[in-house]
Amino acid sequence: MKISEFQKLIEDIYFVKDSTRGPEKSFLWFAEEVGELAEAIRKGDKENLPEEFADVLAWLCTLASMMDISVEEAAKQKYAKGCPYCHSTPCKCSEA
Ligand SMILES: [Zn+2]
């Protein structure tokens, strides 16, 4: 499944509900899911990791849809040519 297909799937399932709630409130749900992913990573909870990654991506996509952004296009624009700062793949930027 392409990112654009996933974003469309999430729109089909949730767009009406999510856009009624609005981006500010939906962002709180996104942040909560990021917290659940952090907890799963911290606890080494491998059983729940796939679900938490899926939830974070779903909330990211629904927020993008509300803001009329294509996640696939945005990601392609920024990263298709490698690191946006040093233009290398893999990145050669120093951490400092
Ligand atoms: Zn770089």
Side-chain angles (χ1 to χ4, degrees):
M1 189 187 295
K2 295 176 70 175
I3 297 172
S4 58
E5 292 168 339
F6 182 72
Q7 186 169 352
K8 173 72 168 64
L9 173 67
I10 295 302
E11 280 179 17
D12 290 345
I13 301 171
Y14 294 116
F15 189 76
V16 172
K17 195 172 164 184
D18 288 347
S19 56
T20 302
R21 184 188 313 107
E24 291 85 2
K25 283 184 182 168
S26 294
F27 188 88
L28 295 177
W29 285 84
F30 169 70
E32 188 172 312
E33 291 300 340
V34 170
E36 288 178 15
L37 175 60
E39 187 179 3
I41 291 170
R42 183 175 56 80
K43 290 181 174 173
D45 184 357
K46 290 195 173 180
E47 192 179 321
N48 281 322
L49 271 180
E51 183 181 332
E52 299 305 343
F53 274 104
D55 287 344
V56 168
L57 185 58
W59 280 104
L60 184 71
C61 284
T62 207
L63 282 166
S65 294
M66 276 186 259
M67 309 310 290
D68 204 22
I69 299 287
S70 159
V71 173
E72 184 169 297
E73 277 306 310
K76 206 188 302 179
Q77 285 276 327
K78 184 149 189 185
Y79 293 104
K81 292 178 181 165
C83 172
Y85 306 103
C86 68
H87 309 290
S88 293
T89 302
C91 169
K92 291 176 181 163
C93 297
S94 79
E95 290 288 318

